[in-house]
Amino acid sequence: MSVKILGIESSCDETAAAVSVDGRTILSDIIASQAAEHGKFGGVVPEIASRRHCENILGVVKEALHAADMQLSDLDGIAVTYAPGLIGALLVGTSFAKGLALSAGLPLIPVHHIAGHIASNYIAHKGLTPPYICLVASGGHSLIVEVKDYTSFKILGRTRDDAAGEAYDKAARVLGFPYPGGVHVDKAAASGDPSKYHLPDPKVSGNDLDMSFSGLKTAVINIAHNAAQKGEELDKNSLAAAFQQTVSNALVSRILTAAEITGYKKISAAGGVAANSGLRSLLQSECEKNGMECFLPPIKLCGDNGSMIACQGYYDFMAGKRADESLNAVATMELE
Ligand code: KG4
Ligand code: ZN
């Protein structure tokens, strides 16, 4: 018999729900994105995010069930992102899922948002099984993760300050692109010359797999200011290309080192920045060169979505993870 899980995600600015079958197959995937509204403020406004989740969540869940041609009684469990993220945003999804699970008499499965991002690869790549190394690069996290099993993780490296996506958004702002800026930097980089500008290497002392992206923003600001002071025109496309190359090199070199240390021959990437064309092509070519398998999520599953929660919810369900009515949302929580 197949296991059907409804996944609910509301940790940031997407209200999302999806239905999975046996983890790997997605029957429906509905997202109400608030990105355009937050864009007016240059970033996510937590208070607005909570209100929009509150308005949208019932409709999104109803639509996900309808698109999957299912009733609540057809489900085996309800999975929800409960950590980490914006607390007010997480509370909407968590409270809603608790009420729904209670009224339907279904098990409630608490899902870690980062575990969800990692699971997005299982949907597209039916043959991907742990153990492997995963690069998680999103707006809030930059992690090199050893995926020991579907529900067991070890963090091998992380950013000491800004996340890769945060760095993209900050650089985008300096270059005059709207929020969220990563995708605009990606497009601009396509017609730039990365060798035109020199940016600092995001390395740090201590752990070779750790990184620091905060200096990159300062370097981009300085280059823009210097050009303005000298009355020179800033070559935005080339600065975007240099930035993208620096971030991609930093992330890819660390993931390859992690694979070397652990001896794994499988690598995957996840999170919003995994949609970056420069990162994807560098990761694929380096994996090919080093005889490793490379698994990348389809672009639509890189950002926050319900499918990844429905998928990870299945593995957490099979591992016996359950929550009761005391489940609370948690803003900060390690994956391990
Ligand atoms: O995973 P995600 O949707 O949300 C979080 O959990 O944080 O990641 C959003 C981040 C944003 O910083 C956005 O600018 C970045 O992913 N992003 C990109 C691209 N598409 C989205 N960064 C670089 N290149 C892209 N193509
Ligand atoms: Zn995310």
Side-chain angles (χ1 to χ4, degrees):
M1 230 192 53
S2 54
V3 176
K4 300 170 199 81
I5 303 289
L6 169 70
I8 299 174
E9 156 66 34
S10 74
S11 68
C12 192
D13 58 348
E14 333 279 350
T15 320
V19 175
S20 69
V21 179
D22 291 338
R24 302 266 178 167
T25 304
I26 297 300
L27 297 185
S28 64
D29 181 9
I30 307 296
I31 302 185
S33 177
Q34 311 166 8
E37 187 173 5
H38 295 290
K40 290 184 228 149
F41 303 95
V44 178
V45 182
E47 182 70 24
I48 294 177
S50 308
R51 290 172 195 217
R52 295 295 168 262
H53 286 310
C54 204
E55 288 164 8
N56 293 332
I57 196 153
L58 179 57
V60 165
V61 168
K62 269 184 166 173
E63 215 177 312
L65 286 170
H66 179 74
D69 197 16
M70 273 190 193
Q71 313 282 328
L72 277 174
S73 54
D74 297 321
L75 296 171
D76 295 282
I78 297 174
V80 65
T81 306
Y82 76 113
L86 300 171
I87 193 68
L90 286 166
L91 279 168
V92 176
T94 308
S95 303
F96 183 87
K98 281 205 296 190
L100 196 63
L102 183 70
S103 65
L106 286 168
L108 179 65
I109 309 144
V111 175
H112 192 288
H113 182 75
I114 301 300
H117 271 302
I118 294 171
S120 62
N121 277 293
Y122 300 134
I123 298 162
H125 308 291
K126 310 290 182 212
L128 174 63
T129 53
Y132 60 91
I133 300 292
C134 184
L135 162 71
V136 183
S138 69
H141 303 268
S142 292
L143 301 169
I144 307 287
V145 182
E146 180 184 355
V147 184
K148 296 174 163 195
D149 206 338
Y150 292 103
T151 57
S152 172
F153 311 93
K154 185 174 175 195
I155 293 170
L156 304 177
R158 63 172 75 234
T159 177
R160 299 261 177 97
D161 38 57
D162 292 353
E166 200 177 347
Y168 263 102
D169 293 337
K170 286 178 176 175
R173 195 189 289 209
V174 179
L175 294 172
F177 298 123
Y179 174 86
V183 68
H184 301 289
V185 175
D186 195 346
K187 280 187 190 142
S191 40
D193 169 12
S195 65
K196 187 160 175 184
Y197 295 104
H198 178 74
L199 292 170
D201 185 342
K203 70 170 181 257
V204 292
S205 57
N207 182 355
D208 285 349
L209 298 180
D210 281 355
M211 53 212 128
S212 160
F213 290 116
S214 67
L216 270 180
K217 184 193 77 172
T218 315
V220 170
I221 291 175
N222 287 344
I223 289 169
H225 282 180
N226 283 346
Q229 266 173 357
K230 289 183 192 157
E232 290 168 4
E233 202 189 326
L234 183 69
D235 181 350
K236 281 189 182 186
N237 293 348
S238 294
L239 189 48
F243 179 85
Q244 181 160 296
Q245 190 180 70
T246 306
V247 174
S248 301
N249 282 342
L251 295 172
V252 172
S253 64
R254 279 160 183 78
I255 195 162
L256 290 175
T257 306
E260 207 176 283
I261 293 169
T262 55
Y264 296 153
K265 291 275 180 204
K266 272 189 268 185
I267 278 175
S268 79
V273 181
N276 183 262
S277 61
L279 178 69
R280 291 174 84 91
S281 60
L282 185 65
L283 202 52
Q284 268 163 335
S285 62
E286 285 301 308
C287 281
E288 231 164 84
K289 242 190 253 171
N290 291 282
M292 292 189 214
E293 276 185 285
C294 179
F295 299 90
L296 297 171
I299 305 289
K300 78 179 181 71
L301 291 181
C302 289
D304 293 344
N305 62 83
S307 296
M308 66 188 205
I309 304 305
C311 175
Q312 182 60 28
Y314 165 79
Y315 288 107
D316 285 337
F317 176 81
M318 297 309 279
K321 288 198 189 175
R322 301 287 186 275
D324 62 17
E325 55 271 27
S326 67
L327 179 69
N328 203 352
V330 185
T332 312
M333 185 185 282
E334 284 289 349
L335 174 65
E336 290 173 314

